[in-house]
């Protein structure tokens, strides 16, 4: 994990700028693509309309929150994947694979169906990030300084199935007739028909989580040279770890509370971008946040285009891209180890 | 065997010589005495038609205010949750189920030799009458069933007399964004109230998921939702409280009706038609 310049690295500044421009373009496309067709011109004109204008209402109350959430959720998933991979020095770290998303789902489900979520607007994200905190702490405790790939995968598998089972249990115990059907949402995620309410209750937490995660950048750079080097450079590993735990838990917890568990974003995005930013963690973090946003907004557009009217789940799309990638990664890691 | 035959013959002889009062008594001896209903709709039909002592148990749904019209009446009977073991233990001589009751349970009960009668969900007024009469026949209460049918017909007739003739379109939206198509109980009720039905107009059948923005674009004159969903906190029903829906379908265009009158095709279904007419009859529309 040397972070000088790898042959495929691109000039960092322009590369990041390019990602930014791409994110803005995809955001625009996300506003314009959907069951009700809106041309860019119509969209522009509709911006000034009021609630009696169909296009205005669709843009402001349905497409805009969806695009914002796609960007924010994707960004925090990509970012936390990059941080966890750097911190654990393990290429398989990802909030989805480690069971952090599934645990956050569990918290959200408990809050929703116990009636807790109705008491206060922030009860839902807080419950989700609480269970997410438990999950991240448990994982970091378990995996610790071990570089064993098997440990991290198995810990993630165990945590994911436990959280999934408890989520199903909570939903089955609920008196609500639709609860059992929602298991799919909490495990596969979706941004369909979210509203500005969901943006308000998740975005502050996602941003707070993002700030904490970005604060680990310098330490991750040092850490990529090895534990001992990092310590000798004056890096406080305990602090870095705390930042990563709470940043991931708060950000991913709040994201999952409104979108359900969406897998593989945090795995795929940092891996694709790492060689392009020259293997340098501090450069990878902003790139992964932008890349995650682009990836999730794009898959959310695909979900609308491929099977319109069928409400294809977002997690299905990310898994179809992510799972083969994961297998390829496992294969190449094994080959490298031999 | 011989004894039962002799007893049967004796009973038949007694019946022939006796008047109508005793004929009813005979009917009572043959009528099912331990009826267990596993379905909300057959629960309520049974409650309306059976003699109280005939019913052994009704489904738990009929005890719940949100889904059942006849809560007070149904609560006189113990509730069941529709598992085969539970039903078997009740030793019923007749089990009534809906077409969509858990198939494995129904299959098992039949294998155990239970007398299981399946009811089709009512999709229109003739099938409501058919189900009422079917319940009357299996309970040996045809006379009571005819009374119930007559009351139902009278209520539907009075609704039709007051029907809304504006030609306005009503479309429904339920949990998870499902909207009902034509050829359904819902379209029958909407049309009986004098309206056009969005699903029918669009040639949809069955219940189909419609994205919220498509619903806004289809823009029915009235949006029909059910209180069951609107007052519920789950994620599946959040779409009904979505700000875009609330802003587009302002209060005078949003009919939020009590679900319990819409779940089953039953005599009280006529009340749902009256609700629609009353809700849209306000001067604001």
């Amino acid at each position: 994990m040397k972070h000088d310049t790898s042959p495929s690295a691109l000039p960092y500044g322009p590369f990041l700028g390019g990602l930014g421009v791409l994110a803005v373009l995809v955001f625009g496309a996300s506003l314009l693509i959907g069951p009700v067709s809106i041309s860019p011109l119509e969209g522009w004109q509709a911006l000034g309309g009021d609630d009696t204008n169909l296009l205005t209402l669709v843009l402001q109350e349905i497409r805009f929150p969806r695009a914002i959430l796609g960007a924010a959720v994707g960004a925090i998933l990509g970012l936390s994947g990059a941080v966890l991979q750097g911190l654990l020095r393990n290429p398989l770290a990802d909030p989805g694979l480690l069971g952090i998303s599934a645990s956050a789902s569990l918290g959200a489900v408990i809050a929703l169906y116990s009636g807790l979520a109705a008491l206060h607007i922030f009860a839902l994200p807080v419950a989700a990030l609480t269970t997410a905190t438990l999950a991240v702490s448990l994982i970091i405790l378990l995996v610790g300084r071990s570089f064993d790939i098997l440990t991290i995968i198995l810990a993630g598998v165990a945590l994911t199935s436990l959280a999934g089972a408890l989520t199903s249990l909570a939903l089955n115990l609920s008196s609500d007739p639709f609860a059992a059907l929602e298991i799919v949402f909490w495990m596969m995620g979706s941004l369909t028909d979210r509203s500005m309410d969901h943006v308000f209750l998740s975005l502050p937490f996602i941003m707070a989580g993002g700030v904490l995660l970005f604060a680990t950048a310098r330490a991750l750079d040092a850490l990529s040279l090895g534990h001992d080097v990092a310590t000798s450079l004056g890096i406080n590993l305990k602090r870095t770890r705390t930042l990563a735990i709470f940043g991931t838990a708060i950000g991913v917890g709040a994201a999952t509370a409104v979108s359900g568990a969406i897998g593989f974003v945090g795995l795929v995005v940092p891996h694709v971008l790492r060689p392009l930013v020259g293997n340098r963690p501090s450069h990878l973090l902003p790139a992964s946040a932008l890349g995650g946003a682009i990836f999730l907004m794009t898959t959310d557009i695909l979900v609308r285009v491929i099977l319109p009217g069928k409400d294809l789940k977002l997690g299905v799309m990310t898994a179809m891209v992510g799972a083969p990638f994961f297998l390829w990664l496992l294969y190449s890691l094994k080959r490298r180890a031999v | 065997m011989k004894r039962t035959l002799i007893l049967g013959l004796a009973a038949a002889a007694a019946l022939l010589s006796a008047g109508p009062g005793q004929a009813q008594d005979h009917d009572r001896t043959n009528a099912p005495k331990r009826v267990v209903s596993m379905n909300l709709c057959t629960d309520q039909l049974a409650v309306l038609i059976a003699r109280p002592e005939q019913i052994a148990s009704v489904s738990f749904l009929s005890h719940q205010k949100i889904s059942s019209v006849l809560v007070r009446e149904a609560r006189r009977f113990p509730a069941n949750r529709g598992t085969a073991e539970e039903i078997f233990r009740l030793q019923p001589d007749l089990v009534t189920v809906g077409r969509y009751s858990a198939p494995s349970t129904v299959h098992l009960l039949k294998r155990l030799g239970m007398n299981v009668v399946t009811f089709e969900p009512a999709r229109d007024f003739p099938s409501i009458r058919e189900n009422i009469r079917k319940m009357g026949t299996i309970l040996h209460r045809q006379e009571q069933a005819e009374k119930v049918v007559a009351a139902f017909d009278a209520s539907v007739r009075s609704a039709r007399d007051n029907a809304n003739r504006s030609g306005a379109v009503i479309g429904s939206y339920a949990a998870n964004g499902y909207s009902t198509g034509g050829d359904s109980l819902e379209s029958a009720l909407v049309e009986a109230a004098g309206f056009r039905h969005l699903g029918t107009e669009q040639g949809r059948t069955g219940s189909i998921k419609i994205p919220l923005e498509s619903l806004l674009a289809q823009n029915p004159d009235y949006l029909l939702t059910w209180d069951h969903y609107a007052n519920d906190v789950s994620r599946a029903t959040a779409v009904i409280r979505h700000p875009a829906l609330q802003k587009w379908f302002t209060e005078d265009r949003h009919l939020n009706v009590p679900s319990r009158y819409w779940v089953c095709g039953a005599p009280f279904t006529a009340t749902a038609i009256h609700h629609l007419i009353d809700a849209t009859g306000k001067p604001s529309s």
Side-chain angles (χ1 to χ4, degrees):
Chain A
M1 280 215 186
K2 278 235 164 206
H3 63 59
D4 307 318
T5 41
S6 70
S8 52
L10 302 168
Y12 181 60
F15 177 64
L16 212 56
L19 281 179
V21 171
L22 190 58
V24 171
L25 288 177
V26 177
F27 187 88
S30 178
L31 289 178
L32 296 176
I33 297 172
V36 174
S37 61
I38 301 177
S39 72
L41 185 66
E42 284 171 329
W44 180 252
Q45 286 165 344
L47 281 181
D50 58 14
D51 290 348
T52 56
N53 183 329
L54 175 70
L55 295 188
T56 307
L57 204 58
V58 166
L59 274 177
Q60 286 182 352
E61 299 286 351
I62 300 178
R63 302 263 179 95
F64 187 65
R66 185 169 185 163
I68 286 276
L69 286 176
V73 173
I76 198 70
L77 288 174
L79 177 59
S80 60
V83 169
L84 289 174
Q85 286 168 20
L87 179 72
L88 299 172
R89 297 221 275 154
N90 192 318
L92 295 178
D94 157 69
L97 281 177
L98 293 185
I100 299 163
S101 300
S103 306
S105 276
L106 174 63
V109 165
I110 292 174
L112 266 181
Y113 289 98
S114 65
L116 209 62
L119 296 181
H120 192 275
I121 176 165
F122 288 133
L124 177 69
V126 167
L129 64 88
T130 305
T131 45
T133 309
L134 288 176
V136 192
S137 313
L138 195 68
I139 286 285
I140 296 214
L141 206 80
L142 254 173
V143 176
R145 295 170 66 160
S146 134
F147 302 104
D148 184 17
I149 288 173
L150 208 58
T151 314
I152 199 166
I153 295 180
L154 291 180
V157 167
L159 203 55
T160 304
S161 23
L162 178 65
L166 291 176
T167 303
S168 305
L169 176 68
L171 290 171
N172 281 324
L173 289 178
S174 156
S175 61
D176 187 279
F178 299 102
L181 297 173
E182 286 177 24
I183 296 172
V184 183
F185 168 85
W186 290 111
M187 292 181 185
M188 275 305 168
S190 166
L191 292 173
T192 305
D193 294 342
R194 309 276 77 193
S195 68
M196 286 309 285
D197 298 345
H198 296 108
V199 175
F200 292 132
L201 66 84
S202 65
L203 201 57
F205 292 98
I206 293 178
M207 286 166 71
V211 169
L212 296 184
L213 290 174
F214 273 121
T216 62
R218 218 175 61 82
L220 291 183
D221 274 353
L223 205 57
S224 69
L225 302 171
H227 258 95
D228 301 334
V229 181
T231 322
S232 71
L233 284 173
I235 298 297
N236 184 345
L237 284 176
K238 214 171 159 193
R239 177 176 165 275
T240 309
R241 192 170 284 192
T242 312
L243 284 173
I245 291 179
F246 285 103
T248 304
I250 294 172
V252 174
T256 307
V258 294
S259 71
I262 298 170
F264 295 108
V265 179
L267 178 77
V268 175
V269 171
H271 270 285
V272 171
L273 296 175
R274 185 169 290 122
L276 302 178
V277 296
N279 288 329
R280 188 165 170 180
S282 60
H283 282 182
L284 183 60
L285 300 193
S288 293
L290 284 171
I294 294 169
F295 179 58
L296 203 63
M297 284 191 290
T298 309
T299 37
D300 190 41
I301 292 173
L302 289 178
V303 160
R304 282 175 258 178
V305 174
I306 293 177
L307 282 175
K310 285 280 180 215
D311 192 25
L312 184 62
K313 293 283 179 269
L314 197 51
V316 175
M317 279 304 290
T318 58
M320 283 192 339
V321 178
F325 183 84
F326 174 70
L327 292 176
W328 169 81
L329 197 63
L330 269 185
Y331 176 73
S332 65
L333 282 174
K334 212 173 153 192
R335 216 175 34 178
R336 212 183 300 162
V338 170
Chain B
M1 184 70 208
K2 217 175 203 174
R3 242 177 91 167
T4 25
L5 192 69
I6 294 169
L7 275 176
L9 282 174
L15 186 67
L16 283 174
S17 61
Q22 270 166 321
Q24 184 116 37
D25 279 352
H26 165 73
D27 213 26
R28 278 196 187 191
T29 53
N30 278 348
K33 293 177 195 66
R34 293 194 55 77
V35 180
V36 172
S37 169
M38 284 170 53
N39 170 281
L40 174 66
C41 303
T42 59
D43 289 340
Q44 301 189 77
L45 286 180
V47 163
L48 283 172
I49 295 168
R51 281 181 292 109
E53 59 272 25
Q54 280 183 292
I55 300 176
S57 170
V58 289
S59 84
F60 72 100
L61 288 172
S62 65
H63 284 202
Q64 294 178 355
K65 234 190 229 156
I66 198 77
S67 51
S68 168
V69 176
L70 306 170
V71 178
R72 206 159 42 88
E73 294 84 344
R75 284 200 178 147
R76 290 182 299 183
F77 311 106
N80 69 72
R81 288 210 162 240
T83 60
E85 217 172 300
E86 186 186 11
I87 305 295
F88 187 72
R89 215 174 38 207
L90 289 164
Q91 291 290 313
D93 51 4
L94 176 68
V95 182
T96 58
V97 301
R99 165 64 60 214
Y100 299 110
S101 296
S104 52
T105 310
V106 173
H107 182 72
L108 190 57
L109 289 174
K110 284 181 178 163
R111 276 186 57 124
L112 290 169
M114 302 264 121
N115 178 19
V116 180
V117 177
T118 306
F119 280 72
E120 297 293 329
R123 297 194 195 285
D124 48 24
F125 298 132
S127 60
I128 290 179
R129 293 185 198 102
E130 201 178 295
N131 276 348
I132 298 173
R133 293 196 169 108
K134 180 174 177 179
M135 186 58 85
T137 309
I138 59 173
L139 295 175
H140 296 226
R141 294 276 286 168
Q142 286 94 336
E143 237 171 83
Q144 174 67 12
E146 286 309 321
K147 276 187 215 160
V148 172
V149 169
F152 170 65
D153 284 342
S155 186
V156 171
R157 221 175 300 124
S158 87
R160 282 192 203 271
D161 289 343
N162 296 318
N164 182 309
R165 315 217 182 273
S166 62
V169 176
I170 294 186
S172 70
Y173 211 47
N176 285 319
Y178 277 90
S179 180
T180 315
D183 236 351
S184 57
L185 185 61
E186 178 190 302
S187 66
L189 295 181
V190 164
E191 279 153 20
F195 298 95
R196 292 187 290 154
H197 183 253
L198 181 69
T200 312
E201 300 274 310
Q202 294 183 333
R204 290 192 268 119
T205 51
S207 212
I208 291 180
K209 204 174 195 116
I210 296 184
L212 179 58
E213 56 183 73
S214 305
L215 178 78
L216 303 193
Q218 289 162 7
N219 195 21
D221 297 301
Y222 293 101
L223 179 72
L224 176 67
T225 59
W226 291 274
D227 62 350
H228 189 171
Y229 306 142
N231 304 335
D232 173 295
V233 292
S234 79
R235 209 205 60 82
T237 56
V239 66
I240 296 167
R241 297 181 298 275
H242 197 289
L245 183 148
Q246 307 273 12
K247 285 180 182 169
W248 189 248
F249 296 101
T250 44
E251 232 169 89
D252 52 320
R253 297 175 63 200
H254 186 166
L255 315 174
N256 188 31
V257 297
S259 2
R260 56 184 183 279
Y261 290 98
W262 292 75
V263 186
C264 291
F268 46 75
T269 302
T271 313
I273 313 175
H274 288 283
H275 284 162
L276 278 187
I277 297 168
D278 293 345
T280 52
K282 290 170 200 152
S284 56
S285 55

